[in-house]
Amino acid sequence: MNLLVTGGAGYIGSHTCLELLKQNHNITVVDNLSNSSEESLRRVQQITGKKLSFYKVDLLDRDALNNVLQSQSKKIDAVIHFAGFKAVGESVQRPLWYYQNNVQSTLNLCEVMDANGVRNIIFSSSCTVYGNPDVVPVHEDLPLSGTNPYGRSKVMVEQVLNDIYQADNRWNIGLLRYFNPIGAHESGQIGEDPLGIPNNLLPYISQVAIGKLKQLTVFGGDYSTADGSCVRDYIHVVDLAVGHVKALEKLEENPGVVAYNLGTGQGYSVLEVIAAFEKVTGEKVPHIISGRRSGDAAECYGNPEKAKMELSWQAERSIEDMCRDTWRWQKANPNGYC
Ligand code: NAD
Ligand code: WQD
């Protein structure tokens, strides 16, 4: 297929481009590089021995985006839409920035797609659309609610995409709700490269293990979980990337709007993740247990059965694989892509 990938230079986007190239899809990436480097795409092409096209374009610039679609020699068959901001805390500080960059940019993208007769899209949604769930595992039919501007931007975009389909059922829309992506490609050449001090658990752990940060703070040890720390559904980024390839195949069946949880269905606590990381790497992760982080749910993990049944997809990599691959990437690239 001829694919447009927005945000393709980022963490999940680059891993997905790699899997798509392996399947011989033609790829055009648009990314403004606000949270990534073109080096990720250079490495993707080096690993696969295949080429993709790259345009440094901001989705808020509708004309520039339209030019990319117009300049294609073959019509785009589908768009995979990763581009957006993702830091929960930052979204609370700068809500307008998040609504602009996550919602307005998606409106631009859909308008440009429609004008160019492209009506197949896969959207990077998130488990955050389930809010603070009362019951786990969460399933796709639960009501959606955001607990912060980032989360609400994902809920809003899901609603917008549903409305677009209601108005014009030529659209096919895959809403992929990711749980907690971690890990890196097994080559150790591409991985997660956060700007500044990481917010997320695994990048923080690996920067402590390599000595860039002194110790990890475990946010909360008094939750009603087996060991008192929070439980999440960590999923290997390569499994997630493969999920996109499967979702694209699903869109070819003209399914309308479909939503899928992409997770393992298995929860691990923060302390279990630290133990798994220490076991597979042989490195110590000094940590202290502090108070809870505001807004954290005690437990969040998903039921991935729908994706298994309808996409013939399931996560295959273990928590040990996730930690091992994160560490391989961190050791080989202590300063990320710099
Ligand atoms: P990332 O920051 O690594 O990738 C996002 C990419 O989008 C970056 O390359 C960035 O430069 C680009 N971008 C941002 N705004 C843009 C704009 N206006 N125009 C063009 N490019 C723009 O993040 P990621 O972890 O790869 O996440 C990808 C998507 O998945 C995001 O939409 C995110 O919200 C969603 N998601 C991520 C996670 C996670 O934990 N990583 C979980 C659930 C959902
Ligand atoms: C994981 C666990 C922390 C850092 C976020 C977004 C969510 C989705 C996935 C995009 C939690 C604990 C963390 C640290 C810690 N993203 N932790 N010390 O919060 O589950 O989910 O990413 O859609 O929307 O909210 O991920 O990696 O921040 O935290 O103890 O230094 O690790 O309390 O239990 P989270 P995370």
Side-chain angles (χ1 to χ4, degrees), residues 52-79:
L52 53 73
S53 308
F54 172 67
Y55 293 86
K56 185 166 185 268
V57 162
D58 192 317
L59 295 193
L60 290 170
D61 184 346
R62 196 179 350 187
D63 292 341
L65 187 60
N66 191 46
N67 288 341
V68 174
L69 271 89
Q70 295 268 310
S71 68
Q72 300 294 310
S73 54
K74 273 174 66 190
K75 188 176 162 243
I76 296 287
D77 297 305
V79 174

Side-chain angles (χ1 to χ4, degrees), residues 88 126 128 150 180 200-201 217-219 230 232 234 293 296:
V88 171
S126 165
T128 193
Y150 168 72
N180 288 56
N200 297 112
L201 182 63
T217 302
V218 176
F219 298 137
C230 289
R232 296 287 182 273
Y234 298 95
R293 182 172 69 177
D296 273 344

Side-chain angles (χ1 to χ4, degrees), residues 79 81 109 113 119-123 161 171-174 251:
V79 174
H81 179 32
L109 174 66
M113 287 174 64
R119 297 187 186 89
N120 298 314
I121 184 169
I122 290 176
F123 172 60
L161 291 172
W171 282 78
N172 290 293
I173 297 167
L251 286 200

Side-chain angles (χ1 to χ4, degrees), residues 236-284:
H236 197 296
V237 66
V238 174
D239 282 328
L240 194 58
V242 173
H244 291 73
V245 177
K246 298 288 190 180
L248 265 181
E249 291 168 9
K250 182 74 186 175
L251 286 200
E252 289 190 291
E253 297 170 15
N254 294 320
V257 187
V258 280
Y260 297 104
N261 285 342
L262 295 187
T264 64
Q266 160 90 52
Y268 286 97
S269 73
V270 176
L271 295 176
E272 285 173 329
V273 174
I274 297 171
F277 188 93
E278 290 184 332
K279 184 178 124 202
V280 297
T281 65
E283 301 292 328
K284 278 273 156 240

